[in-house]
Amino acid sequence: MSRFFSEKYKALDVYTPGEQPKDMQYVKLNTNESPFPPSEKAQAYAAKAAERLQLYCDPENTALTKKFAEVYGILTDEVLFTNGSDDALNFSFMAFCDDAHPAAFADITYGFYPVFAALNRVPYEEIPLNSDFTINVEDYLGVNKTIFIANPNAPTGIALPLSDIERILQSNPGNVVIVDEAYVDFGTESAVSLIHKYDNLLVTQTFSKSRSLAGGRLGMAIGGAPLIQDLNTIKYSTNPYNINSMTQAAGLGALEDGEYFRSNCATIMENRAYLAEKLAELGFVMTESKSNFLFAKHPQLDGEKLYLELKKRGVLVRHFTKERIRDYNRITIGTKEQLDILLKNIREILEENA
Ligand code: PMP
C-alpha cells in the first residue's frame, strides 16, 4: 500500500477471483465458465468489430439493446448492458443503497456482495441460510433494506420459486430487490417476467456462463425504465464506454444464435445430472443445484484435501474457506470428457484415503 492510498479504502477486504494458474494445463472446473467456445457468429462479429477499434464504442449499445429487447420481450429502456454483471451489481449498490437503505443478503452467497457494500460504504446485514442452505423467505419479508438475492444461489445452486420472490417484492415496496440471475439459464424460472408488475424489481444477468462470453465481460440489468435510468446516471458518471465494441458485437452474435445457446444449456443440464448421479454413487452429498456447478462434500474426505489432491492431479475445483461451507467444493459442469477425468481422479483419491 502506498502512503497516498485513501483512508476510505485502506481496510477493504477485496474479492478473490477463482484461480487461473498457468503452470500446467488443468481441467478447469473452478470458475463456472462454459466448457464450450462462443458461438461462431459471436466470434465472427467480434473479429469484424476489431477492424474499427480506432473509434469509440457506442455508449448506448444500440444494436445489442434492440436485439435483447426483442428476444426477451421488453422495451429498450428496460435494460442496461454492463461490463459483466459485476458492474451491474456494483452500480446497484451505488444507486440503491445508503445509510437509510442498507443492503441485506444471505450469509452464504456470492462473495462480491460484501465487497461492493464495503467499497461503497454501505451498511449491510447477512441473513443466515437454513442449515440445509435453503433461504428462509420469512427472513426477507418487510426487512426495509435493499435486498440482493442470487437465484439460483451461489455457491449452493439452490433456486427459489418465483412465488417466493414475489412475496419478498410485495413485502418490501420501499426498497429495490435485486435478483442476481447469473445462473438462471440452467433451469430456473426468471423474474424478468415480473418487471412490469413490480417497480422495485431489478434483475441482473450475464453472458459469462450460458453464452460462453466470460472473457468478453457482458452483463445486464433489467427492470422498469426509472430504475434503468438511475443506473444510467451512475454509468454516465463513471465510464460511458464500459462495453468495448468487440464485446458488443460478440453479444449481438450470441443473441442471434439462440439455437447454440439453448443446446449448450441443455447439454450442461444433462451433464449436471450425470455428474450428480456419479458423485452420489461415490458417497458425496450435494445440494440440489440448478446452476452450471454442483456443490458437494464427502463424509470421509476433507473438502480442502480433496481440492488440493485434485489440483495436484491437474483438476481445478473451487474450495471456500468460510466455516459453514469448508467441507464442500464447488465443481463447474464441464464436458462429459472433463467430468470423466474428474471422476477418475476422485475415485483414486478416495481409494488412497480409504
Ligand atoms: N453473480 C454471481 C452469483 C456470480 O457467481 C457471478 C460470477 N462470478 C457474477 C454474478 C458475475 O459474473 P460476471 O461479472 O462475469 O457477469
Side-chain angles (χ1 to χ4, degrees):
M1 186 185 306
S2 83
R3 62 196 165 90
F4 307 105
F5 197 38
S6 169
E7 281 298 329
K8 306 198 282 260
Y9 299 128
K10 277 187 179 163
L12 271 187
D13 195 3
V14 301
Y15 177 71
T16 316
E19 58 188 331
Q20 310 276 2
K22 302 283 181 273
D23 57 329
M24 63 184 270
Q25 187 75 30
Y26 286 93
V27 174
K28 214 173 156 301
L29 304 174
N30 68 328
T31 47
N32 298 342
E33 289 139 328
S34 172
F36 307 114
S39 118
E40 284 179 12
K41 213 166 191 178
Q43 296 184 43
Y45 283 15
K48 189 85 192 133
E51 292 169 12
R52 291 168 61 81
L53 281 179
Q54 77 276 23
L55 303 178
Y56 277 107
C57 51
D58 170 12
E60 292 178 15
N61 304 295
T62 312
L64 188 56
T65 302
K66 191 161 167 277
K67 183 70 191 172
F68 187 85
E70 185 190 307
V71 173
Y72 283 76
I74 58 168
L75 301 172
T76 52
D77 58 2
E78 293 171 335
V79 58
L80 174 75
F81 283 94
T82 52
N83 192 304
S85 56
D86 280 340
D87 217 18
L89 292 165
N90 187 31
F91 285 4
S92 303
F93 274 92
M94 292 169 85
F96 307 123
C97 300
D98 52 32
D99 288 345
H101 306 85
F105 41 82
D107 62 337
I108 306 293
T109 189
Y110 185 32
F112 227 138
Y113 301 158
V115 180
F116 285 139
L119 175 71
N120 294 298
R121 302 161 87 77
V122 165
Y124 64 90
E125 181 194 357
E126 289 186 321
I127 302 177
L129 294 177
N130 294 324
S131 59
D132 61 358
F133 299 124
T134 54
I135 278 183
N136 180 15
V137 177
E138 308 289 326
D139 291 344
Y140 291 78
L141 301 184
V143 290
N144 229 6
K145 298 193 167 111
T146 301
I147 296 169
F148 290 79
I149 293 186
N151 196 36
N153 198 9
T156 63
I158 299 172
L160 265 190
L162 273 195
S163 51
D164 285 340
I165 300 278
E166 284 207 71
R167 286 175 70 202
I168 295 170
L169 284 160
Q170 283 162 2
S171 73
N172 292 283
N175 281 281
V176 180
V177 176
I178 292 103
V179 183
D180 173 351
E181 295 188 347
Y183 302 101
V184 75
D185 298 322
F186 305 106
T188 302
E189 217 181 340
S190 171
V192 169
S193 59
L194 300 175
I195 63 161
H196 296 137
K197 195 163 167 194
Y198 299 101
D199 69 352
N200 59 334
L201 168 63
L202 189 76
V203 180
T204 60
Q205 290 191 3
T206 180
F207 279 51
S208 293
K209 326 285 178 184
S210 53
R211 295 190 191 265
S212 306
L213 283 175
R217 313 303 301 125
L218 187 61
M220 54 276 187
I222 306 144
L227 290 181
I228 298 301
Q229 207 176 3
D230 297 341
L231 296 179
N232 264 308
T233 300
I234 305 287
K235 164 180 156 162
Y236 281 92
S237 306
T238 50
N239 181 5
Y241 300 113
N242 59 347
I243 304 161
N244 72 74
S245 342
M246 290 188 296
T247 294
Q248 291 187 31
L252 181 63
L255 279 177
E256 286 180 3
D257 206 346
E259 193 41 51
Y260 183 71
F261 156 73
R262 279 184 291 277
S263 113
N264 283 348
C265 290
T267 307
I268 299 285
M269 288 189 275
E270 257 171 55
N271 291 1
R272 180 176 70 204
Y274 169 76
L275 182 63
E277 188 189 321
K278 297 288 172 200
L279 288 179
E281 282 169 18
L282 293 172
F284 279 85
V285 176
M286 282 157 281
T287 49
E288 197 197 329
S289 174
K290 296 281 185 207
S291 303
N292 67 341
F293 54 81
L294 289 179
F295 193 54
K297 73 169 177 181
H298 195 280
Q300 272 94 47
L301 199 56
D302 178 70
E304 187 173 23
K305 181 165 176 119
L306 176 62
Y307 153 73
L308 290 171
E309 288 291 328
L310 282 170
K311 186 172 176 186
K312 257 201 265 171
R313 291 164 161 84
V315 181
L316 279 183
V317 297
R318 182 96 194 241
H319 179 254
F320 300 89
T321 50
K322 205 165 182 170
E323 189 54 37
R324 271 190 88 177
I325 54 173
R326 57 185 312 156
D327 292 342
Y328 285 79
N329 279 289
R330 192 194 66 191
I331 308 169
T332 303
I333 305 301
T335 60
K336 199 90 180 294
E337 294 68 35
Q338 289 177 315
L339 299 183
D340 284 335
I341 295 171
L342 166 82
L343 287 164
K344 175 176 159 288
N345 282 288
I346 289 180
R347 278 187 204 105
E348 281 173 20
I349 295 165
L350 284 172
E351 269 164 33
E352 278 172 24
N353 288 275

